[in-house]
Amino acid sequence: MMFQPDIETLPREELEKLQLRRLQALCRKLYANVPFYRRRFEERGITPDHIKTLRDIRLLPFTEKQDLRNNFPFGLFAMPKENIVRLHASSGTTGKATVVGYTRRDIDNWSDCVARGLAMAGLTSSDFIHVAFGYGLFTGGLGAHYGAERLGATAIPASGGSTKRQAQLIRDFGATGICCTPSYALHLYDAAVEQGIDFRELPLRVGVFGAEPWTEEMRRDVEQKMGITAIDIYGLSEVMGPGVAVECATGRNGLHVQEDHFLAEIIDPDTGEILPEGESGELVLTTLTKEGIPLLRYRTRDITSLSCTPCSCGRTFARLKRFTGRTDDMLIIRGVNVYPSQIEAILLETEGLSPHYQIIVDREGTLDSVEVQVEVSGANFSDTVRDLQKREQMVQKNIKEFLGVSTKVRLVEARTIDRSEGKAVRVLDKRKLKA
């Protein structure tokens, strides 16, 4: 099923013509209405008239998260405040919050994007969708909620927290779809098991998961435990929220970018040069239709690649391959680049380990040290100390062989690693605390 088939199946040539018209209009709007961008254009010696083809996007300046913080709260808004109908903001844990404003049309476009994504996942107007993303300033909850309603489905605004109660509601209301982080889905599963609820015996059939990195191993774990099809959704508050790109249940081979609203590039994170199709690099997004706070060439810091190869679902939108990490959560351990998702993949390939883990990075003298704490599934923690030590050594050996970095692996009892109602906290870097 497609929510807007006329748009989702546009021939590439027509789609690119639409993107160019919208990019040119966006440049004129930013040049006229946002002093920040006008200065950036002038610094580069260009005007909107220089954008004659999509390739000319390379002439335009990048936008970074720090630019939003430097212009806190409303310095990058392109519309008068009276036209803004909603504000969202990041948590601001590493500095000032990034504030995003939406016009009525922005909300409508966002709802369409999420509705398309839910339809890609196989959900319809007949479904009951349990939304366990957080509501409030975080974009996840309201984004998924409005998208479910736009699809014509029944939205269940559960938000985060009260996990045991949520497991009961999924059973009692007969939810057929769920939207949340993948780690919270597993948290819900644990809470359900404690109460004798088997998700596999319920009508629940589709999970749309995002807001944190997850691996194919984690997908298989969620699907097996919950008896559902697990679909990846991508978004970020600065650009819109969830729904920027979504997997289709047909192909499940990359996330379709909503290309009529977002122009995607893959760049070399060090040089800023645009990379050819298929090469891995940093995802950069331009908001082609945003009115409240449009962004030119926003550097997401997410690492992926882009493919325009036709998909079996019939959609013509380009696809992002599964994200392998971020340029700013990459750990450098004694000169070795390591992504948490790489360690997660190794852990989940090891029998008897759960998907709940934490990576603790510290500095001992002048050398970095890494300890990986991972929970052992309940049935396996009764093994002898010798058996547990063998398993620890095996995981340490696998991490060393595949990633080239030495770690200490410590197996801990089930439910001893803190659970999160939102994004899982996978890395504790104590080196930053000592800096």
Side-chain angles (χ1 to χ4, degrees), residues 82-101:
E82 54 266 29
N83 294 98
I84 303 298
V85 300
R86 191 194 299 174
L87 294 178
H88 281 285
S90 71
S91 61
T93 53
T94 57
K96 285 185 177 179
T98 54
V99 180
V100 185

Side-chain angles (χ1 to χ4, degrees), residues 291-399:
E291 294 182 332
I293 179 169
L295 296 179
L296 273 182
R297 306 190 78 194
Y298 183 74
R299 297 190 62 162
T300 69
R301 302 297 178 184
D302 291 314
I303 302 298
T304 181
S305 62
L306 195 65
S307 172
C308 295
T309 304
C311 180
S312 57
C313 73
R315 293 175 178 85
T316 53
F317 291 162
R319 285 170 290 159
L320 298 172
K321 295 300 183 183
R322 180 173 285 279
F323 295 94
T324 58
R326 289 176 56 83
T327 60
D328 56 1
D329 77 354
M330 180 181 71
L331 299 171
I332 302 177
I333 309 299
R334 296 189 291 278
V336 179
N337 297 340
V338 178
Y339 288 103
S341 58
Q342 294 172 316
I343 292 179
E344 177 180 294
I346 293 170
L347 296 178
L348 292 180
E349 287 172 354
T350 306
E351 185 178 353
L353 301 187
S354 85
H356 301 292
Y357 68 95
Q358 190 166 59
I359 302 167
I360 301 171
V361 186
D362 207 342
R363 181 163 291 127
E364 298 174 356
T366 59
L367 294 177
D368 294 332
S369 65
V370 182
E371 179 176 293
V372 180
Q373 296 182 3
V374 58
E375 292 181 2
V376 179
S377 58
N380 290 279
F381 200 76
S382 59
D383 292 350
T384 65
V385 172
R386 186 172 182 177
D387 288 337
L388 292 175
Q389 287 176 338
K390 284 184 178 178
R391 198 170 299 166
E392 287 175 344
Q393 291 167 0
M394 178 180 66
V395 176
Q396 288 175 184
K397 180 173 179 288
N398 289 341
I399 293 175

Side-chain angles (χ1 to χ4, degrees), residues 16 33 58 65 67-68 106 118 144 164 184 201 210 240 316 349 352 371 385 387 397 406 425 432:
E16 289 175 1
N33 297 328
R58 67 187 67 237
K65 178 171 283 194
D67 294 323
L68 280 81
D106 289 337
L118 296 176
K164 288 185 177 181
Y184 190 62
E201 296 178 353
M240 181 182 74
T316 53
E349 287 172 354
E371 179 176 293
V385 172
D387 288 337
K397 180 173 179 288
S406 297
V425 180
K432 296 179 180 178

Side-chain angles (χ1 to χ4, degrees), residues 19 61 103 147 173 187-188 198 224 262 275 289 326 353-354 357 421 432:
Q19 288 180 317
T103 65
F173 290 171
H187 191 26
L188 274 168
D198 187 347
Q224 188 276 324
F262 307 101
L275 296 175
T289 58
R326 289 176 56 83
L353 301 187
S354 85
Y357 68 95
E421 305 293 354
K432 296 179 180 178

Side-chain angles (χ1 to χ4, degrees), residues 227-297:
I228 62 175
T229 299
I231 298 295
D232 200 0
I233 187 170
Y234 174 75
L236 57 169
S237 299
E238 299 89 338
V239 170
M240 181 182 74
V244 172
V246 190
E247 276 184 318
C248 62
T250 306
R252 291 218 300 185
N253 184 26
L255 293 83
H256 289 279
V257 182
Q258 313 282 10
E259 287 193 280
D260 54 326
H261 294 290
F262 307 101
L263 183 56
E265 309 167 70
I266 303 297
I267 67 166
D268 182 314
D270 296 322
T271 67
E273 292 299 313
I274 299 174
L275 296 175
E277 179 183 338
E279 288 198 20
S280 180
E282 180 184 344
L283 173 64
V284 172
L285 292 169
T286 294
T287 62
L288 296 174
T289 58
K290 280 285 291 287
E291 294 182 332
I293 179 169
L295 296 179
L296 273 182
R297 306 190 78 194

